[in-house]
Each structure stands twice: as C-alpha cells, then as structure tokens.
Amino acid sequence: MYDEIREAFDQVHATEQMKQSVSDYLVEKRRKTANHSLRFRMRSLIPVCALLLICIGIGNWYFWEMPVSYVSVDVNPSIELTLNRRNRVTDAKSRNRDGARVLEHVQLEGKDYLEAVELLVESDAMQPYLTADAELTVTVASMKAEELLSGLENSVVATHYHGMCRSADMETVASAHDHDMSLGKYQMYQLLSQYGSGLTAEDCQNISMCQLRELLSQYEAGREEAVSSNELENMQVGCSHGGQQHHHHGSGHHSE
C-alpha cells in the first residue's frame, strides 16, 4: 500500500516538472516571437525612413539649391550667378580670366541677387574695369525675369553705373554653358555670328563688352567684312579705357 501511494506521488511530481518545462518553453517562445516581431517591424521601417530622408533631401534641394535663374554680369570680367527660388545666390562662377580675378575678392554665395550684384559691381576688384567707355551689361534668364530686371533697373547698376539690363530665354543658358560663356557674352557672340563676323565663342570670351558692342555697331551700320586676325588681336588687348570711372554709356532694359 505504501509503495502504491509513493508511486502515485512520484507521478504527480513528474507532471509538475513537465508543466514547468512547458511553461518555460512557452515563455521563451513568446520572448523570441516578440524579438522577431520587433526586428521585423524595424526592418520594415528602414525603407520608410530612407524614403523620408530622400524626400527631405529633395525638398531641401528644391527650395535651396535647385537653379531656377541665372544672372550674368559682363564688362570684360564675365561672372555668372546661379539663383534659387528665393533669389539667393547658390553659385558664382567666372567665365573668363578677368572674372576669376574679381571673384577672388568677393563672397557672393547665400546673398540676395540684388545685394550680390551690387557688391560685385562696387568691389575694389571690379572698379578698374568700370571706366568711361566700359559697357556694363547684366543679363537675366529666368521665368521671373521681369521681377529680377525691375530690381536691377532700380539699383546702382542702372542708376549709378548706367548698366544695360537684358533678358535671355532659359534655352540660351545651356548653349552658353556648352561654350563656357556667360549669358551676356554668348548673346553678343550670337548677334555677331549673324553678321558673319568670323569670331568664335572662344574669341569673344576674352574681348571686352565695349569692344564687342563697338563691333556690333559697325555691322549694324553696314560693315560686311569679317574680323581680321590683326583686328582680333587688338580687340583682345582690351578697350582703350580713358576718362573717369563710374560714367557709362547706354542704359535701359532690353529683351532678346
């Protein structure tokens, strides 16, 4: 009888161990399942987070870096400004040797376009080029060219330096850049090409705006012969600047 009772209790004890083992197994399985589920959810969030970061980056580029307008400033130095949607300068690039020398002395990135142009024109580095017969030309390519030109025409560019403010279509920008030229110089190159001047884009890069305008006036007055090599060499020396600074010929708003 005693042995039978002991065997019965032994069976009950074995059953409790089994219950505890099952309980431990279930707890561990739930823990692993929870960890797996968490890892799965985290992995699922990775593409979402990546997409969010991409969208933020695109939005930042769209509003702050995307180029929407171009402003070129030409005397002989040729400098082109790239503007974002807020009309702030995101890049300032020289388009010839004189332009590179001027840009060494001014910091234009981040500034409003009007402030940047005025700083550029009034800089000590630009002043030697702004002599009596210099032809300061500012050319704008933008969907809001009227707004930008209106600001320029009420700035020192026109009121003090009597600069000429012009517009160009956006398609011209790509062509000008293909020739490594500013908008203003490229427009002059296009006009002179129509008259058969024989000048290349590279020739025009290092000819001052006053020389280019003088040559264009000759063709408009009836000149027919192409530019000779001697004439080209003389033009690339530069304008015969004379007279006092800050006095310029020609002003106005022209569209091309």
Side-chain angles (χ1 to χ4, degrees):
M1 181 67 177
Y2 177 79
D3 291 338
E4 291 176 356
I5 293 172
R6 188 179 62 185
E7 288 176 5
F9 273 100
D10 286 344
Q11 289 176 5
V12 170
H13 180 68
T15 301
E16 290 299 329
Q17 285 182 331
M18 290 175 62
K19 288 180 179 179
Q20 185 62 43
S21 296
V22 170
S23 176
D24 292 343
Y25 170 78
L26 291 175
V27 169
E28 180 65 18
K29 186 171 180 61
R30 282 196 296 270
R31 185 184 67 79
K32 290 181 178 179
T33 301
N35 289 340
H36 176 75
S37 178
L38 178 61
R39 286 196 298 270
F40 178 78
R41 286 197 297 270
M42 291 299 290
R43 282 197 298 268
S44 299
L45 285 174
I46 290 173
V48 176
C49 293
L51 181 60
L52 181 60
L53 289 173
I54 290 171
C55 290
I56 292 172
I58 290 174
N60 183 66
W61 180 81
Y62 182 80
F63 284 104
W64 295 103
E65 299 296 331
M66 181 180 176
V68 298
S69 304
Y70 298 87
V71 178
S72 80
V73 179
D74 298 278
V75 187
N76 185 48
S78 286
I79 294 168
E80 190 170 272
L81 309 179
T82 303
L83 312 182
N84 64 13
R85 292 183 177 277
R86 297 171 63 85
N87 296 338
R88 292 196 171 274
V89 178
T90 59
D91 189 33
K93 185 171 294 185
S94 63
R95 293 295 179 182
N96 61 6
R97 290 187 298 271
D98 288 340
R101 283 193 284 268
V102 171
L103 278 184
E104 289 177 359
H105 303 281
V106 290
Q107 175 60 44
L108 305 177
E109 285 85 353
K111 292 181 168 54
D112 176 77
Y113 84 103
L114 208 51
E115 180 188 4
V117 172
E118 290 183 340
L119 279 173
L120 180 61
V121 170
E122 297 202 294
S123 68
D124 291 340
M126 183 68 89
Q127 289 302 302
Y129 299 97
L130 296 175
T131 53
D133 54 356
E135 293 284 355
L136 174 61
T137 303
V138 181
T139 310
V140 173
S142 175
M143 294 296 291
K144 46 184 178 181
E146 267 191 48
E147 173 192 334
L148 300 179
L149 286 169
S150 177
L152 289 165
E153 289 166 350
N154 289 290
S155 73
V156 296
V157 169
T159 60
H160 185 62
Y161 295 96
H162 303 289
M164 181 174 288
C165 302
R166 306 167 64 90
S167 66
D169 55 60
M170 289 297 287
E171 289 76 15
T172 305
V173 175
S175 298
H177 291 177
D178 286 343
H179 290 85
D180 196 27
M181 297 180 74
S182 68
L183 286 168
K185 283 283 183 76
Y186 186 73
Q187 277 192 330
M188 292 300 295
Y189 161 68
Q190 285 182 310
L191 291 170
L192 290 167
S193 295
Q194 293 174 6
Y195 285 102
S197 67
L199 293 176
T200 66
E202 188 177 357
D203 293 333
C204 292
Q205 281 178 316
N206 293 306
I207 300 175
S208 65
M209 288 300 284
C210 70
Q211 291 280 19
L212 292 174
R213 287 195 181 284
E214 183 180 338
L215 183 60
L216 181 61
S217 296
Q218 292 175 18
Y219 280 110
E220 289 174 341
R223 172 174 171 162
E224 296 182 357
E225 69 272 14
V227 175
S228 67
S229 57
N230 286 338
E231 190 178 8
L232 173 60
E233 186 177 348
N234 289 333
M235 284 194 295
Q236 289 182 329
V237 170
C239 291
S240 55
H241 292 144
Q244 297 181 355
Q245 293 182 351
H246 314 318
H247 179 70
H248 301 270
H249 301 294
S251 63
H253 169 187
H254 295 265
S255 298
E256 295 296 330

